[in-house]
Amino acid sequence: MGRSPCCEKEHTNKGAWTKEEDQRLIAYIRVNGEGCWRSLPKAAGLLRCGKSCRLRWMNYLRPDLKRGNFTDDEDELIIRLHSLLGNKWSLIAGQLPGRTDNEIKNYWNTHIKRKLLSRGMDPHTHRPLTPVDGAAASRPAHDEAASHGVVVRRRQQRRDEHGGAAVPRPEPRPVSGPAGCRHADLAPGLPLPPPRPPRRGGVQLPSGRQPGL
DNA sequence: AAAGTCTACAACCGCAGAGCC
DNA sequence: TGGCTCTGCGGTTGTAGACTT
C-alpha cells in the first residue's frame, strides 16, 4: 500500500552472489565503510538492492565473523538466551561475538530445536513436554527434524501439480549456479572468512533420522 | 547406479520502528 | 505533526549436497 519498493526490482540481480559481486562489495565497504545501503549498490556498481547488500555483508562477508560449528557452550548459551528473550535473534547474536542473527536462527531451527525435543523439552516454552502436548510428546523428536524435509517435499509436490515448475511465485529466483556464491569457491586472496568445515548435514543420521545431535 | 529423502544454510520477503524533513 | 525513507528484524523459501533405499 503506497509503500515504495526497497529498490528497483527490474534491474537487480537475485539469488546467489557471485565472486565478483562479493569482491565489489568488500572493496567498496573497505573504502567507504558501512552504511547508506540504499545508495551503496549503485555506488559500488552492483545490480543488487541495498537490502541484499547489507544482508550479504552482515551475514557473510564481514571480516569479524566467526565461522565454523557451534560449540557446546554456545549451544547452551543460545538455549538460555532463547528461554529469556524468545526469537530475538539479533539480541541473542549480540551475546555471541562473531555470530550473526541469521546463522543463529538457522542453527536454532536445524539443531537446537531437535536437541531440546530429544531432551523432552518444548523448544518454544523451554518447559518439559507434557502429555497434554500429546502429539508432540509422543511423536518421535525426529519427526520435527524431518518437518522441513516434508515441507520441502510438499512444495515440490505443489510445483509438480502446477505442471513441473509453475508454482506461482512473484519472482522466480534464478537457479543458483554450481555452488554459485558459496564461499568455498570465492576468489583466493580476498580477506574473506575462512571456509566452513565440511557440512555435517545428514551424515551421521542413520535411517530413521536419529534425533538430537 | 539411480532415485528418493533429508539436512543445512544462503538469501529473499514483508513489516515495524526510528529518524529526517 | 504527518509522511516518507531507510534500516534492521524475524519468518520463510529454494536448493546443493550428503545419505539412504
Side-chain angles (χ1 to χ4, degrees), chain A residues 50-144:
Chain A
K51 228 173 162 175
S52 181
C53 294
R54 179 188 158 271
L55 202 70
R56 182 68 178 165
W57 174 255
M58 293 295 192
N59 289 328
Y60 197 80
L61 299 174
R62 257 164 53 200
D64 59 324
L65 288 181
K66 175 160 122 196
R67 313 302 301 217
N69 295 342
F70 283 76
T71 63
D72 286 343
D73 284 349
E74 285 176 314
D75 273 20
E76 293 307 321
L77 182 56
I78 292 170
I79 291 169
R80 222 173 43 240
L81 290 170
H82 186 272
S83 71
L84 294 171
L85 303 169
N87 292 2
K88 300 290 176 192
W89 305 116
S90 57
L91 291 178
I92 295 173
Q95 303 301 312
L96 288 142
R99 301 293 189 184
T100 70
D101 53 351
N102 202 41
E103 190 178 16
I104 292 171
K105 181 171 58 183
N106 280 329
Y107 188 66
W108 174 270
N109 285 323
T110 53
H111 291 86
I112 299 185
K113 253 185 183 176
R114 250 186 293 159
K115 190 171 180 172
L116 288 178
L117 285 167
S118 73
R119 292 180 186 173
M121 304 289 284
D122 185 323
H124 297 106
T125 61
H126 294 265
R127 291 200 180 130
L129 289 167
T130 64
V132 179
D133 294 320
S138 60
R139 187 174 54 210
H142 66 257
D143 271 11
E144 179 79 14

